[in-house]
Amino acid sequence: QVRLVESGGGLVQAGGSLRLSCAVSGYTLSSYYVMAWFRQTPGEKREFVAHISRSGGSTNYADSVKGRFTISRDNAKNTMSLQMISLKPEDTAVYYCAAGNVAVDTANLYDYWGQGTQVTVSS
């Protein structure tokens, strides 16, 4: 079965940068899946951040992160990344790696999820 493991979260000062990674393993090639990043704060709905096509040739971003975050994938290494710059306190959340069959912005349409990694941006 598909397994996703996030890493790279931590505490960073506002204006700083952070790079999250997602390692993918399982019984199918990672390139079979559309992949995405979501984030969630306590009491809030899980929020779309970005998604990337199977080949990595197409990406989409939430308006709140566009221009600051960059999603990428390396199918040969079975990894996906989220490079975050100019971080704001509002970016504080648990960030989740997800995989699915369709490139959508809705969390419940993704099939597989990582355990999440905490990103905290101090003001």
Side-chain angles (χ1 to χ4, degrees):
Q1 189 59 275
V2 175
R3 177 172 171 263
L4 309 177
V5 180
E6 302 96 334
S7 62
L11 176 64
V12 65
Q13 192 174 112
S17 63
L18 204 60
R19 186 178 181 89
L20 306 182
S21 294
C22 176
V24 184
S25 63
Y27 299 102
T28 63
L29 296 176
S30 61
S31 61
Y32 180 82
Y33 297 103
V34 171
M35 300 195 71
W37 289 96
F38 287 79
R39 64 188 184 186
Q40 188 170 25
T41 56
E44 300 293 330
K45 182 180 179 181
R46 192 162 294 188
E47 177 188 20
F48 168 74
V49 176
H51 63 61
I52 187 166
S53 63
R54 293 173 177 83
S55 68
S58 181
T59 59
N60 190 51
Y61 299 90
D63 288 342
S64 60
V65 306
K66 193 172 185 178
R68 299 188 298 118
F69 291 11
T70 303
I71 188 171
S72 62
R73 66 192 294 166
D74 186 338
N75 290 337
K77 295 182 178 179
N78 288 327
T79 58
M80 180 183 67
S81 297
L82 184 69
Q83 178 66 54
M84 305 181 292
I85 64 170
S86 301
L87 283 162
K88 305 174 181 179
E90 308 94 89
D91 296 318
T92 295
V94 176
Y95 283 70
Y96 295 91
C97 176
N101 193 238
V102 291
V104 295
D105 300 346
T106 305
N108 64 8
L109 296 181
Y110 284 82
D111 300 310
Y112 306 102
W113 294 86
Q115 82 289 347
T117 186
Q118 177 71 47
V119 172
T120 302
V121 183
S122 62
S123 59

